[in-house]
Amino acid sequence: MPTVQEIRQASADGEPLTMLTAYDAPTAGIVDAAGIDLILVGDSMGNAVLGYDSTLPVTVEEMASHTGAVARAAEDALVVADMPFMSYGTTDGAGVENAGRLVKDAGANAVKLESGPHTVALTERLVNLGIPVMAHLGLTPQRLNQVGYSRQGTTEAAAEEIRELAERHEAAGAFSLVLEHVPGDLAAEVTAALDIPVIGIGAGPETDGQVLVLTDVIGLSESAPPFAAEFGDARGEIEDAVTAYREAVEDGDFP
Ligand SMILES: Nc1nc(=O)c2c([nH]1)NC[C@@H]1CN(c3ccc(C(=O)N[C@@H](CCC(=O)O)C(=O)O)cc3)CN21
Ligand SMILES: CC(C)C(=O)C(=O)O
Ligand SMILES: [Mg+2]
C-alpha cells in the first residue's frame, strides 16, 4: 500500500495518476491487480450499485461496509473513501468521528470530502489527526438540489471561487484534489497552480490524473454522465452468461 506521500511523489515524477471507483471485493481486486493507483469507494455507490436515484441517501454505515470489502481486497492501491452527505460539515466533531470510522474501522487509507468554505478547518483537523484528505471541487454532486449536475466554474466569479478554494484546501493539508465537470482551461490553471496532484473527471486532459466511475468504464451503468467513457461491455457479458445459464438449465444441458 503506498502512502499519500508516495502518490504525490509518483505524480511529481510525471506519472499520470489513475483512479477508479470500486464498491466490493471482487471488482476492487480486479482494479488493484490492473495497476490502478487509487481506488475510490465513491458515494456514487448510491446510484451505481445501491439502486438510489442519487448519492444523497448513502449512509456512513453503507460506506463503512463497502469500504471494508474494498480495503480487504486491495493490496497495492491507496483506498480513499467518500464521506457521504451530511456526515461532515454539520459539526467538526461529527466529521472527525465519521472519518475515523471509515479509516479506523473500515480500513480506508484516506477520505474524500466534497469541499467548500466549511471544509477548510475540518481538512486541517483530519490531517493533523493522521487522516489524509482528498479535496473535491467543481461539480459536487451532494449539492444536487442546488446546482443539479451541470458544469461548474463557467463564469469568471465561479472559476475564481474554485481557484481560491483549491489553494485553501492545499494549504489546509489536502494531499490531492478531485476537480469534476469544469472547463479544461480552468482545470489546467488549477493543476499548474497547486503542488498537490489534481485528478480530473470531466475536466479535460491537463490534470495530473483521471478518475471515472467503474460501472461507467466497464459498460454496466444504466446511465452515465456525458464525460464518462465505456471501455468494455460488462452489461452484455453478464446478459450473455445469465441467458446461457438459463438456456442450459431449461434445455437439460446443465448440470
Ligand atoms: N455512474 C455514475 N457516474 C458518475 O460519474 C457519477 C455518478 N454516477 N454519481 C455521482 C456523480 C453524478 N455525476 C454526474 C451525473 C450526471 C451528469 C450529467 O448528465 N450532466 C449533464 C446534465 C447537467 C444538468 O443536469 O443540467 C451535462 O450536460 O452536464 C454529470 C455528472 C458524476 N457522478
Ligand atoms: C466521481 C467521483 C469523483 C466520486 O466522487 C464518486 O464516485 O462518488
Ligand atoms: Mg463522490
Side-chain angles (χ1 to χ4, degrees), residues 116-177:
H118 63 303
T119 59
V120 176
L122 177 59
T123 296
E124 187 167 5
R125 178 105 173 259
L126 292 173
V127 170
N128 285 335
L129 287 167
I131 298 182
V133 174
M134 180 177 276
H136 180 165
L137 291 166
L139 174 59
T140 47
Q142 291 173 13
R143 297 177 68 225
L144 171 64
N145 290 310
Q146 288 165 328
V147 294
Y149 290 140
S150 57
R151 205 150 76 124
Q152 301 297 301
T154 55
T155 67
E156 181 41 38
E160 187 49 35
E161 189 179 359
I162 289 171
R163 287 187 207 101
E164 190 201 320
L165 284 171
E167 301 269 12
R168 288 177 66 193
H169 283 80
E170 174 174 89
F175 78 95
S176 176
L177 166 70

Side-chain angles (χ1 to χ4, degrees), residues 19 21 23 40-45 55 82 112 114 136 141 178 180 201 211-213 227:
M19 179 159 82
T21 68
Y23 315 104
L40 174 66
V41 190
D43 60 349
S44 53
M45 179 170 81
T55 63
D82 258 350
K112 180 164 72 62
E114 293 189 9
H136 180 165
V178 165
E180 178 166 355
I201 171 168
V211 56
L212 283 175
V213 166
F227 50 73

Side-chain angles (χ1 to χ4, degrees), residues 193-204:
L194 296 193
D195 285 332
I196 58 173
V198 175
I199 300 181
I201 171 168

Side-chain angles (χ1 to χ4, degrees), residues 158-251:
E160 187 49 35
E161 189 179 359
I162 289 171
R163 287 187 207 101
E164 190 201 320
L165 284 171
E167 301 269 12
R168 288 177 66 193
H169 283 80
E170 174 174 89
F175 78 95
S176 176
L177 166 70
V178 165
L179 209 43
E180 178 166 355
H181 207 9
V182 298
D185 55 357
L186 173 61
E189 283 169 24
V190 172
T191 302
L194 296 193
D195 285 332
I196 58 173
V198 175
I199 300 181
I201 171 168
E206 292 183 62
T207 54
D208 299 303
Q210 297 289 327
V211 56
L212 283 175
V213 166
L214 181 70
T215 52
D216 299 344
V217 166
I218 66 176
L220 185 61
S221 295
E222 285 190 33
S223 76
F227 50 73
E230 288 184 3
F231 291 80
D233 180 26
R235 177 171 295 271
E237 294 276 325
I238 294 171
E239 279 169 2
D240 288 352
V242 170
T243 301
Y245 165 74
R246 178 182 57 74
E247 288 174 353
V249 173
E250 289 176 354
D251 296 348

